[in-house]
Amino acid sequence: MIPFVVTILAIAVVFVVLYSCGIAIYYWYTHDRGKRRKLEAQKARENEETRQKMLAFLRSKSSQLQEAMNQFSRYTDVQTGYFANYQLTTWKDTNAALFDDIKDQTLSELGLSSEELKTVAEFKNDYASAEAIRVEFNKRFVEQELDAFGPYFDTHIEGKPFDLQQRTAIVTDEDNNLVIAGAGTGKTTTILGKVSYVVDRYTTPPSEILLISFTNKSASDLTKRMNVRGVEAKTFHKFGKDVITQVEGRAPSVFDEDRFQSLVIRFFKELMEDSEYLAQVVRFFRDYLKRPRSAFEFQNQGEYIQYLKDQNFKTYKQKEVRAKGRTTYKMEAVKSVEECQIANYLLFNNVDYEYELPYGFDVSSPGYGAYKPDFTIRQNGRTVYLEHLALDRKGNVPPFFPREGETYQAAKARYCEKIDWARQTHQSHGTQLIETYSYEMSEDILFDNLAQRLKDAGIALKPKPPAGVWGIILESGQDEVDGFLTLIQTFITLMKSNTYSFADVVQRNAQIQDSFEKERNALLIAIIEPIYECYERFLAEHHEIDFSDMINRAAAYISEGKHPQRYRYVVIDEFQDISVGRYQLVKAIKDRSPDCKLFCVGDDWQSIYRFTGSDIALFREFEKFFGCTVKSKIETTHRFHEPLIKLSSDFILKNPNQERKALNGMSGTVPRSTDYKIVYSDSDEQDDTLALKQVFDEVISSTSNLGKKRICVLGRYSFDIERLENPRGPFQVDQRTGVICYAAAPHNGIQATIEAQYLTAHKAKGLEDDIVIISNCNSGKYGFPSGMSDDPALNLLLSETDQFENGEERRLFYVAMTLAREKVYFITDRLHKSKFIMELEAQSGNTGLKKCPRCKTADLVRRRGTRNGQSWDFYGCSNYLYGCDYRERLS
């Protein structure tokens, strides 16, 4: 009975529990459903309120939305014109908040009308895709504009038709426009077309166009050719002066730049009276003017010899040279950098020496020719011989020592055998020999060791005082002194033009890793800073400003809002010559008038005014400095033709930093050509008259209508005209005017005459002539390329864009050769050809000259003469003065 009762009770308990749970569940469900219904109703009310608010908001913004869409429609209307980046940026900035408010909204549930939905959807789409829409619109606009303005560009400007690239560059009207032009492609005409177009197309007031060129001559030419009244071209300096005059109420007193050179020379001479300053300058010339590179750095003897020539590694000891009846005194040529430094060390320490003088005894044999020790030293009746040996610490020789077909080890053994022979020769004849080694130079112990060896040999060193050393340098190295003073002028100009202080320059030098370059720069800065201080003091005392000051002050006034004039267009010719200071002036104009458009035309292949402050980085990295930019190209040259187009283009593009262009000549029914020729002289670096006569005779015999031809003779420097002034030469040369007259020998009773104009390559830029003759295409500090214009210290003041070796000189050489319409001649010395000429020879491949198989770069030239009653005649390397003794017998 009891188990049954327990069971019944358990069942009852379970039933009660289940019933209670059911009641609880039912109560919870019914209560929560109500709560949920309330929540759902509340949420629905909130959603409706939100919808109503967004609907009201959108309708309150309908006018703004409509205005935004109307504005965007105007921008994408061909009649309005080009859709510029500034317009789009301003439009997006104005409507950014509106877009943020609606970009995530589901518009279809707001209850908007179909028209309202369409407007909002179009706004969201246009805002999100604005840049792509702008790009596509501008592409269509340019196409339609070229068609609409076809007749305008056919005859409206100067009656000449524009080519397609010119037309495209003109109608493209971005915030910033850079037209990359080629030589003779019509840069000025393109500028005239742009100004005329924006006045006629966009009704731009002429007063709101600032037209800038770089020189007074080019600005005057632009103004004369301008067919828009009220637009006057100005130089940067003229514009800067106008700004200062307007702000200050009077014109500033401007320093005469023609006096800058003479002032620098004056300050330098005054400072040289101070013994400490004099010692600094002497140390620079003695130890740092030229970078000493070891022969071990070169794989090719010709490259090493070319380095010696380019850097003018000659001693300060003068040697008498007789050539063509004239006696001249020149710096002594030696065969290595180290020998040059040893020679100068002996000279500056009053040690009398002769370089490669025949040995005092005849020791020639079938195995060895006449023996000429490197240095023969004499003092107080004592003779000591010095051999400088090209050996490193391990007894190795430079990489280029092996002759044709010879292994390196064989070349090393041959050299060491010659050393042993020389030692034995001195020992057998009782002569005193001392030796120095290449590794001593690299370890900076050479001169300490040499001093001790000379002392042990009984040779006393009597160091000349700095004034005595400077006297020697002035007497034999005046060209180097002149170049040094030019470097100082360039350094100061670049520093001011690029708004650097000496603290900035010192800081930049501290970042340089190369110890020689850093020490050299530091010494040069210490020499230049006092001259700069003298110059700035002179300006202050005379209440004058120079051109750099003028540009910098004008830029400051515009930035400060003191110059109220606003511009819609700034148009700049020859933009490749822009400097940092001028850039800051243009940037100030743009910052004050953000809608102002910039249209710049230039050719980075013709950027040749680094010495006045131009920095090619501003051209190459244009968009980095100015913002959104469209780059266009004009590449059809009206001046010259093939084969010069290819020769010059290949030549300039050896520098990878130059913009690539594909120049092409004008097409026509009559084939045209612009040829070139290399003419070789035997001037010994002094006289180009015979080579020029050869050119003139060829021109006379091969040119029709000679009297109508313009002929120009170009030089790297103004004093290169002296190479044409041999008193017994065939020319009349007027140094004042640069006119060269030549009367050829009568032929068939008719005497032809030529008149040519001499100019430097810098002054000739922008001109064009039928026949161009480039003289002095030789190696050396004052050759072409010039070794003086590429000084590494200038890298402290310039961007890294222009670090290619001889980059500026390469562009200048390109400018010179592309001035020719019909033919260009290059005059070069056979024995001192510049690296540029060797490049042209390699490109053309038609010199007819055989290269030396040993030093690789020089030519084999025929040499003949008589000595001691015996004649000799053979082909030898033109680098024989620098140590290449390769020769071939006549076949």
Side-chain angles (χ1 to χ4, degrees):
M1 187 71 179
I2 291 174
F4 176 77
V5 172
V6 171
T7 302
I8 293 300
L9 288 173
I11 292 171
V13 169
V14 170
F15 176 79
V16 170
V17 170
L18 290 173
Y19 178 79
S20 299
C21 288
I23 294 296
I25 290 170
Y26 173 78
Y27 175 79
W28 173 84
Y29 175 75
T30 56
H31 177 77
D32 185 65
R33 184 173 61 179
K35 183 177 180 181
R36 282 189 290 113
R37 284 176 178 172
K38 289 180 181 180
L39 289 173
E40 287 172 356
Q42 181 180 351
K43 185 175 181 181
R45 286 194 300 272
E46 290 175 351
N47 287 342
E48 178 62 19
E49 289 175 4
T50 299
R51 187 189 73 82
Q52 291 289 345
K53 287 180 181 179
M54 179 55 64
L55 183 62
F57 171 77
L58 286 175
R59 285 175 173 165
S60 72
K61 296 292 184 179
S62 62
S63 60
Q64 183 180 347
L65 273 168
Q66 193 59 53
E67 175 57 31
M69 293 310 300
N70 289 342
Q71 185 66 60
F72 200 82
S73 294
R74 285 194 293 272
Y75 286 152
T76 52
D77 184 347
V78 171
Q79 297 303 314
T80 303
Y82 192 90
F83 190 178
N85 173 74
Y86 175 76
Q87 294 170 315
L88 176 60
T89 302
T90 303
W91 182 83
K92 292 192 72 172
D93 288 346
T94 301
N95 298 290
L98 177 61
F99 178 75
D100 287 341
D101 287 335
I102 65 174
K103 64 181 179 181
D104 296 324
Q105 294 298 322
T106 306
L107 300 178
S108 60
E109 299 176 357
L110 293 179
L112 292 168
S113 67
S114 59
E115 190 64 30
E116 289 172 328
L117 275 172
K118 179 181 177 183
T119 300
V120 176
E122 286 181 352
F123 171 76
K124 289 175 66 177
N125 178 72
D126 287 351
Y127 194 97
S129 307
E131 179 59 21
I133 293 171
R134 186 179 82 90
V135 170
E136 185 58 33
F137 166 79
N138 284 334
K139 182 180 178 181
R140 294 196 311 273
F141 167 79
V142 168
E143 293 173 353
Q144 294 179 43
E145 196 78 349
L146 290 174
D147 183 59
F149 276 78
Y152 183 89
F153 290 123
D154 284 340
T155 59
H156 184 70
I157 296 97
E158 298 191 314
K160 301 175 182 177
F162 286 70
D163 65 38
L164 179 59
Q165 286 185 315
Q166 289 176 306
R167 297 175 190 223
T168 303
I170 290 170
V171 301
T172 301
D173 207 41
E174 190 52 85
D175 296 347
N176 305 290
N177 305 269
L178 178 63
V179 181
I180 303 169
T185 56
K187 295 188 290 292
T188 301
T189 306
T190 303
I191 285 175
L192 297 174
K194 180 66 176 182
V195 173
S196 181
Y197 171 77
V198 300
V199 169
D200 292 340
R201 174 65 167 83
Y202 296 110
T203 62
T204 306
S207 61
E208 295 182 10
I209 299 174
L210 177 61
L211 178 56
I212 295 287
S213 193
F214 275 80
T215 67
N216 290 323
K217 183 180 180 302
S218 60
S220 175
D221 180 53
L222 265 174
T223 300
K224 288 177 182 177
R225 294 173 61 182
M226 181 59 62
N227 62 341
V228 176
R229 182 176 297 177
V231 177
E232 176 190 359
K234 299 180 180 181
T235 64
F236 272 102
H237 299 138
K238 176 66 166 62
F239 174 69
K241 186 176 182 180
D242 289 348
V243 170
I244 295 170
T245 300
Q246 182 270 323
V247 174
E248 297 182 354
R250 61 184 179 85
S253 179
V254 182
F255 173 71
D256 182 0
E257 295 290 322
D258 290 339
R259 300 172 57 200
F260 184 53
Q261 179 181 12
S262 61
L263 267 184
V264 167
I265 294 172
R266 188 186 106 189
F267 297 146
F268 178 75
K269 288 181 177 178
E270 290 172 355
L271 288 164
M272 288 290 280
E273 295 176 4
D274 177 82
S275 59
E276 292 184 8
Y277 188 86
L278 172 63
Q280 283 183 317
V281 173
V282 167
R283 180 169 171 245
F284 184 85
F285 271 79
R286 185 189 64 211
D287 300 332
Y288 291 101
L289 181 64
K290 307 158 191 174
R291 187 185 189 104
R293 292 182 63 185
S294 169
F296 287 85
E297 298 178 41
F298 296 85
Q299 298 298 315
N300 179 296
Q301 185 181 18
E303 292 174 359
Y304 181 55
I305 292 173
Q306 192 64 39
Y307 182 75
L308 296 178
K309 293 178 179 179
D310 290 342
Q311 298 301 312
N312 200 37
F313 269 104
K314 297 180 179 180
T315 79
Y316 285 113
K317 182 176 181 179
Q318 287 190 319
K319 298 289 287 186
E320 181 179 292
V321 177
R322 293 189 58 81
K324 298 182 178 69
R326 292 195 298 175
T327 300
T328 57
Y329 292 88
K330 300 169 57 179
M331 296 171 74
E332 178 182 51
V334 291
K335 296 174 181 174
S336 75
V337 171
E338 293 155 8
E339 287 180 343
C340 179
Q341 294 188 310
I342 290 171
N344 286 333
Y345 179 81
L346 297 174
L347 181 64
F348 295 157
N349 281 281
N350 277 305
V351 176
D352 185 33
Y353 77 87
E354 289 292 338
Y355 181 69
E356 291 196 335
L357 188 71
Y359 184 51
F361 300 89
D362 183 5
V363 293
S364 58
S365 67
Y368 297 98
Y371 176 39
K372 297 179 180 179
D374 291 335
F375 297 93
T376 301
I377 298 171
R378 294 191 178 95
Q379 189 179 84
N380 299 328
R382 180 184 295 273
T383 300
V384 174
Y385 297 95
L386 167 61
E387 290 280 15
H388 180 68
L389 307 179
L391 296 173
D392 67 9
R393 272 283 184 187
K394 297 179 180 179
N396 294 316
V397 296
F400 56 78
F401 267 33
R403 295 174 175 174
E404 53 280 2
E406 185 180 36
T407 66
Y408 179 80
Q409 290 301 324
K412 177 179 174 181
R414 172 173 52 80
Y415 187 74
C416 292
E417 180 182 331
K418 183 178 179 181
I419 293 171
D420 290 338
W421 176 85
R423 290 169 179 165
Q424 292 171 12
T425 297
H426 285 282
Q427 184 176 6
S428 63
H429 289 86
T431 51
Q432 195 165 8
L433 173 68
I434 59 176
E435 296 175 349
T436 54
Y437 308 90
S438 289
Y439 68 80
E440 293 177 309
M441 179 69 78
S442 62
E443 295 174 11
D444 199 24
I445 58 175
L446 172 63
F447 297 120
D448 288 341
N449 290 351
L450 177 57
Q452 185 60 51
R453 290 165 193 157
L454 288 170
K455 181 180 179 182
D456 294 343
I459 302 296
L461 298 178
K462 301 175 183 178
K464 291 181 182 293
V469 174
W470 184 244
I472 292 173
I473 293 172
L474 277 177
E475 184 177 7
S476 59
Q478 185 61 55
D479 285 352
E480 292 187 345
V481 175
D482 291 341
F484 178 70
L485 292 170
T486 300
L487 172 62
I488 293 174
Q489 297 167 51
T490 303
F491 195 98
I492 292 173
T493 300
L494 283 174
M495 198 176 78
K496 294 197 69 174
S497 178
N498 293 349
T499 65
Y500 282 124
S501 67
F502 272 97
D504 296 328
V505 176
V506 169
Q507 184 177 15
R508 292 196 71 176
N509 191 47
Q511 308 304 314
I512 292 177
Q513 300 300 313
D514 185 277
S515 59
F516 178 86
E517 186 176 343
K518 181 183 289 188
E519 293 168 8
R520 183 183 190 274
N521 288 342
L523 183 55
L524 186 62
I525 291 168
I527 292 169
I528 294 176
E529 188 168 9
I531 297 176
Y532 174 81
E533 292 171 351
C534 290
Y535 174 58
E536 288 295 291
R537 192 159 51 245
F538 176 90
L539 293 177
E541 290 171 354
H542 290 77
H543 306 288
E544 293 180 336
I545 61 173
D546 61 17
F547 284 168
S548 294
D549 294 327
M550 194 153 57
I551 297 295
N552 298 337
R553 188 180 297 184
Y557 284 153
I558 292 173
S559 295
E560 294 163 5
K562 295 180 180 179
H563 181 64
Q565 176 68 47
R566 300 296 179 99
Y567 297 99
R568 284 176 60 180
Y569 286 90
V570 175
V571 181
I572 304 177
D573 190 13
E574 303 289 0
F575 186 79
Q576 74 276 354
D577 296 327
I578 194 79
S579 66
V580 171
R582 294 182 179 100
Y583 155 73
Q584 290 174 342
L585 179 61
V586 176
K587 191 68 165 56
I589 295 172
K590 292 269 293 177
D591 289 344
R592 296 296 299 176
S593 304
D595 60 339
C596 175
K597 294 185 176 182
L598 185 61
F599 185 84
C600 302
V601 182
D603 181 3
D604 66 305
W605 292 8
Q606 298 188 71
S607 177
I608 60 172
Y609 288 105
R610 184 171 70 161
F611 65 91
T612 66
S614 68
D615 191 337
I616 201 171
L618 294 160
F619 187 103
R620 291 279 290 125
E621 302 170 23
F622 188 92
E623 193 164 11
K624 169 185 171 183
F625 291 96
F626 289 105
C628 181
T629 298
V630 169
K631 292 182 178 181
S632 308
K633 291 182 180 179
I634 51 177
E635 299 167 302
T636 300
T637 177
H638 303 256
R639 183 186 302 160
F640 57 102
H641 312 275
E642 295 291 1
L644 184 60
I645 288 178
K646 176 172 173 49
L647 182 85
S648 59
S649 297
D650 289 348
F651 174 80
I652 195 67
L653 288 174
K654 288 286 197 307
N655 182 347
N657 299 321
Q658 305 290 168
E659 287 275 1
R660 299 197 72 84
K661 294 191 286 286
L663 283 190
N664 53 84
M666 289 284 292
S667 58
T669 57
V670 179
R672 296 182 176 181
S673 66
T674 305
D675 211 342
Y676 58 90
K677 183 176 181 178
I678 301 172
V679 179
Y680 299 91
S681 74
D682 297 301
S683 64
D684 196 28
E685 299 183 282
Q686 298 293 329
D687 189 348
D688 283 347
T689 53
L690 291 179
L692 183 59
K693 179 183 181 301
Q694 177 186 335
V695 172
F696 281 166
D697 286 337
E698 180 177 313
V699 169
I700 289 170
S701 64
S702 62
T703 306
S704 58
N705 298 319
L706 181 61
K708 296 181 179 180
K709 302 298 182 183
R710 286 171 51 92
I711 303 173
C712 186
V713 179
L714 299 180
R716 175 60 182 83
Y717 293 99
S718 57
F719 51 72
D720 281 340
I721 195 173
E722 296 172 6
R723 301 176 63 85
L724 314 173
E725 287 192 304
N726 187 329
R728 289 170 293 190
F731 312 123
Q732 290 182 340
V733 180
D734 188 329
Q735 280 234 26
R736 184 180 58 85
T737 63
V739 173
I740 303 170
C741 294
Y742 172 63
H747 181 67
N748 294 330
I750 300 175
Q751 183 176 48
T753 60
I754 280 183
E755 185 174 287
Q757 178 68 50
Y758 178 85
L759 292 169
T760 65
H762 280 103
K763 290 183 179 178
K765 184 178 179 297
L767 303 176
E768 54 184 62
D769 293 278
D770 298 293
I771 297 166
V772 170
I773 304 159
I774 307 175
S775 65
N776 193 17
C777 299
N778 300 329
S779 58
K781 286 289 186 181
Y782 281 88
F784 208 165
S786 165
M788 295 306 299
S789 70
D790 218 22
D791 195 282
L794 300 179
N795 293 334
L796 291 171
L797 304 164
L798 295 166
S799 66
E800 295 182 359
T801 304
D802 198 25
Q803 303 299 307
F804 188 72
E805 185 178 16
N806 298 124
E808 176 99 344
E809 289 293 295
R810 183 175 293 273
R811 292 189 291 271
L812 184 60
F813 200 70
Y814 171 83
V815 166
M817 73 169 81
T818 56
L819 298 178
R821 286 190 288 257
E822 297 180 8
K823 192 161 186 176
V824 58
Y825 292 88
F826 305 93
I827 295 179
T828 185
D829 188 297
R830 289 185 189 277
L831 304 184
H832 302 278
K833 290 184 295 189
S834 76
K835 60 178 70 174
F836 289 171
I837 291 297
M838 288 191 282
E839 280 188 29
L840 297 185
E841 288 177 338
Q843 280 180 236
S844 62
N846 60 355
T847 65
L849 299 173
K850 183 178 179 181
K851 292 296 179 185
C852 173
R854 184 168 298 166
C855 72
K856 310 299 183 185
T857 59
D859 301 323
L860 292 182
V861 296
R862 188 172 184 178
R863 297 210 295 271
R864 48 190 154 188
T866 302
R867 180 180 299 162
N868 299 327
Q870 294 187 344
S871 61
W872 44 271
D873 193 353
F874 61 90
Y875 283 101
C877 179
S878 59
N879 274 337
Y880 70 93
L881 286 176
Y882 291 89
C884 184
D885 58 1
Y886 181 85
R887 61 178 61 186
E888 289 181 359
R889 293 181 179 180
L890 293 175
S891 58

